[in-house]
Amino acid sequence: MTTKTPIAEALPDEADIARWANAFFSAVPGIDGAGRGPSLGGIDSGVSAGRKAAELGPLTPAPPMGGAGLSPGGIAPVPAASFPGAQSPVPPSGVSGFVPAAASPGAAAPATDSGLYIVTEALSRVENQPQTEGLTARPDALPGADTLAALLDTLSITPEAQNPPAPSQAPFAQSGHPAFDVQAIRRDFPILAKCIHGRPLVWFDNGATTHKPRAVIDRVSYFYEHENSNVHRGAHTLAARATDAYENARATVARFLGASSADEVVFVRGTTEAINLVAQAWGRQNVGPGDEIVVSHLEHHANIVPWQQLAGEKGARLRVIPVDDSGQIILSDYERLLSDRTKLVAVTQVSNALGTVVPVEAVIARAHAAGAKVLIDGAQSVAHMRVDVQALDADFFVFSGHKIFAPTGIGVLYGKREILNAMPPWQGGGNMIADVTFDKTVYQAAPARFEAGTGNLADAVGLGAALDYVGRIGLENIARHEHDLLEYATPALLSVPGLKIFGTAPGKAAVLSFLLDGFTPEEVASALDRYGIAVRAGHHCAQPILRRFGVEGTVRATFALYNTQDEVDCLVAALRQIAASRGGR
């Protein structure tokens, strides 16, 4: 039966309100005491960093650090009409995006997070539970409209309100915000306000790693300041808080991937460790002499080398799906590779070198028809498109947190529960055991059996915060924004004399891999760095696919939700100057 609680008991007391208000108004992001917004070291108000960078002078020694102003002139922005197919930026119709207050410094975490001690404290008074000692408001959970509404809801507390639905009952949050505002998003990433060689940073190296929003930075900091402890077995308060935060992060990952249970989510260091875990635990148990493992020509080395090692150890064979001249896998050839000897198919969802989006639904369906299991490498896909592992029917799905705005050193192995529980552990130690004697050891069920020792607790919590951040913006909105950038950038780059792009598959992700005639990839990347533009140069740990196109390396520009068309203009203008310098070489 629902019981009503008097308002005076349900609402926080005056001291709480005063404390929250003081913390909130002292931490409004980007506003100084006079109410002015931030400026980027000499950049005029209202001019984006990318456009301003495009207007900077020719390459000269960087001015001394310490706030020296930037002088205009030199690199001229490329007019939108100067290359075929270019259009003026138009906000996509019907796209909803991000309200910066939700994920800027001091943003609130989801109300279902039981680590929100400011809310838990108020509820403890409602339920006549012993009060905890004074608590400091979480920097990422200061009360906003949603939080106050949740407090008011305690006037009519029900069991459902205190026990949020399991991941399988609560799909990952859809965006409900106004139009996508890239400038508001950029303000959430402190590093984007930095200057490199006296010029605003343009970060086009997102395929290697993404930057971290303030919501993630603050959440990790909060963990160390208020929750730090080992997890699961401690009887003290901090152990309970740390366990709560860690397992809430696991539940967030499960919702994000569409897993049927949080028990299907194993925390690892990253994609590479996840693939090696499957190779060692599942592969050694299920692959034998004469068996076959199928990969594609597009794979990152991390999805080739572990299978080579396993095949060599077991006497199995590695088979490769070829690609066409656009960089897409050839499904008819793939079907001919499958047989009753095929034990596993391991393919990337998005090529890190070319941006090709692989039709993994078709790959999985054909593999299952042949009786094989499937591992999908999602390192380059999870930050750019919605993934539903149940809809895909993937047996394994792996990704790294640092590719999706989370800290480094944390990643995820998703596996179907029945498959994980049939796999032996690949490492032994604390946390993964149910009972140990000198005669035998009984292991925990998944996921604990694969998390020996003390895990990367704080960064797992940071991963949960990053996924919440992405969820508030909306993956569909991110995909639309990045697609528009790719459509804008492709003809712009091709207008640069001597530039060739590799990877032209339809529907590709926002990856532009190119060469500039007369320059090595490293020379181009080094020159771009002097303009403050960060790109990747080399083989991108994907030598087989680059050699398929007759090259040993490329320059790679990869886009993310915080990149702009002005930054693309800056890149194109710099490349034009680099290309023009060939005459003096």
Side-chain angles (χ1 to χ4, degrees):
M1 181 176 67
T2 299
T3 59
K4 295 289 184 178
T5 304
I7 292 179
E9 295 183 21
L11 292 177
D13 59 28
E14 293 179 2
D16 285 335
I17 294 173
R19 175 161 48 85
W20 291 341
N22 289 337
F24 178 80
F25 289 109
S26 67
V28 175
I31 304 298
D32 63 17
R36 294 184 293 266
S39 63
L40 300 181
I43 298 176
D44 296 332
S45 175
V47 180
S48 76
R51 178 69 71 183
K52 194 68 179 181
E55 297 170 356
L56 296 177
L59 291 178
T60 58
M65 299 304 291
L70 306 179
S71 59
I75 301 179
V78 180
S82 65
F83 47 85
Q87 299 178 351
S88 299
V90 178
S93 60
V95 175
S96 59
F98 176 65
V99 173
S104 54
T112 56
D113 182 354
S114 56
L116 300 181
Y117 302 115
I118 54 174
V119 176
T120 304
E121 184 181 13
L123 291 178
S124 72
R125 288 196 295 273
V126 173
E127 298 169 343
N128 297 316
Q129 297 296 323
Q131 288 195 35
T132 59
E133 59 180 315
L135 298 173
T136 302
R138 281 177 54 164
D140 61 335
L142 294 172
D146 292 342
T147 306
L148 292 176
L151 287 171
L152 291 174
D153 284 344
T154 63
L155 296 174
S156 180
I157 296 175
T158 63
E160 291 78 8
Q162 299 177 55
N163 298 285
S168 60
Q169 299 170 305
F172 200 74
Q174 302 291 318
S175 173
H177 299 293
F180 187 97
D181 185 348
V182 67
Q183 294 303 329
I185 289 169
R186 288 179 64 82
R187 289 192 289 272
D188 291 329
F189 292 81
I191 201 169
L192 297 182
K194 301 298 181 185
C195 288
I196 302 297
H197 302 306
R199 301 165 188 269
L201 171 64
V202 176
W203 187 258
F204 285 152
D205 198 15
N206 296 288
T209 197
T210 55
H211 290 306
K212 320 309 172 193
R214 176 62 67 186
V216 171
I217 296 169
D218 286 350
R219 186 64 187 92
V220 173
S221 176
Y222 185 88
F223 178 88
Y224 283 122
E225 291 178 357
H226 300 284
E227 299 165 323
N228 185 48
S229 171
N230 217 323
V231 296
H232 294 147
R233 291 174 304 283
H236 53 77
T237 299
L238 288 186
R241 290 182 182 179
T243 299
D244 189 46
Y246 186 63
E247 294 303 333
N248 280 344
R250 194 190 307 275
T252 297
V253 174
R255 289 195 301 274
F256 183 81
L257 293 178
S260 65
S261 167
D263 290 341
E264 296 179 319
V265 173
V266 179
F267 284 129
V268 291
R269 288 185 300 163
T271 302
T272 297
E273 183 168 273
I275 294 171
N276 277 274
L277 190 162
V278 175
Q280 295 300 313
W282 184 89
R284 284 184 170 180
Q285 185 181 57
N286 292 280
V287 175
D291 289 336
E292 295 180 347
I293 301 166
V294 176
V295 299
S296 83
H297 216 136
L298 293 168
E299 302 310 314
H300 187 282
H301 296 165
N303 205 27
I304 298 173
V305 177
W307 309 121
Q308 283 182 332
Q309 292 174 329
L310 178 66
E313 176 185 332
K314 293 291 187 176
R317 180 184 180 191
L318 194 67
R319 308 201 71 185
V320 182
I321 309 168
V323 301
D324 61 24
D325 290 339
S326 75
Q328 182 58 272
I329 66 168
I330 303 172
L331 281 173
S332 58
D333 288 350
Y334 166 59
E335 290 178 332
R336 285 191 284 271
L337 292 177
L338 296 171
S339 71
D340 58 3
R341 296 187 301 275
T342 307
K343 295 299 181 182
L344 179 77
V345 176
V347 296
T348 186
Q349 189 169 20
V350 172
S351 164
N352 75 308
L354 304 181
T356 304
V357 179
V358 174
V360 293
E361 297 90 342
V363 169
I364 293 169
R366 287 162 172 77
H368 284 170
K373 303 299 183 189
V374 183
L375 180 145
I376 301 298
D377 175 355
Q380 297 291 335
S381 64
V382 291
H384 311 287
M385 61 185 66
R386 190 167 296 281
V387 171
D388 185 329
V389 290
Q390 290 190 81
L392 288 176
D393 198 23
D395 300 296
F396 302 104
F397 187 95
V398 298
F399 73 94
S400 298
H402 73 100
K403 308 282 190 181
I404 187 168
F405 318 110
T408 54
I410 188 68
V412 167
L413 163 64
Y414 158 83
K416 291 180 178 177
R417 187 182 340 204
E418 63 274 15
I419 298 177
L420 290 178
N421 283 326
M423 290 162 50
W426 80 310
Q427 292 179 327
N431 198 56
M432 45 79 72
I433 56 90
D435 186 74
V436 175
T437 69
F438 285 110
D439 295 322
K440 68 174 183 178
T441 296
V442 179
Y443 303 114
Q444 298 269 26
R449 67 167 51 201
F450 301 111
E451 295 182 4
T454 299
N456 189 353
L457 309 177
D459 291 337
V461 173
L463 172 59
L467 299 185
D468 284 337
Y469 178 86
V470 169
R472 288 193 293 270
I473 298 171
L475 274 163
E476 291 78 10
N477 300 331
I478 293 170
R480 176 73 66 87
H481 173 71
E482 292 174 350
H483 173 76
D484 290 347
L485 277 180
L486 182 67
E487 291 291 299
Y488 181 83
T490 300
L493 284 180
L494 289 174
S495 73
V496 176
L499 189 144
K500 179 181 180 181
I501 290 176
F502 296 86
T504 58
K508 64 178 284 186
V511 176
L512 286 168
S513 199
F514 62 90
L515 287 176
L516 189 61
D517 187 35
F519 296 89
T520 68
E522 291 75 18
E523 287 174 328
V524 173
S526 179
L528 289 173
D529 178 66
R530 293 160 63 195
Y531 291 92
I533 303 170
V535 295
R536 183 67 35 168
H539 56 60
H540 318 304
C541 295
Q543 288 174 301
I545 188 58
L546 292 184
R547 287 171 178 164
R548 158 67 174 81
F549 288 94
V551 297
E552 287 295 319
T554 64
V555 182
R556 186 187 69 181
T558 45
F559 302 148
L561 76 171
Y562 41 61
N563 291 127
T564 67
Q565 291 186 355
D566 286 338
E567 291 181 318
V568 171
D569 291 344
C570 179
L571 171 66
V572 173
L575 287 170
R576 284 183 176 277
Q577 284 205 356
I578 296 167
S581 72
R582 276 195 301 261
R585 284 168 60 85

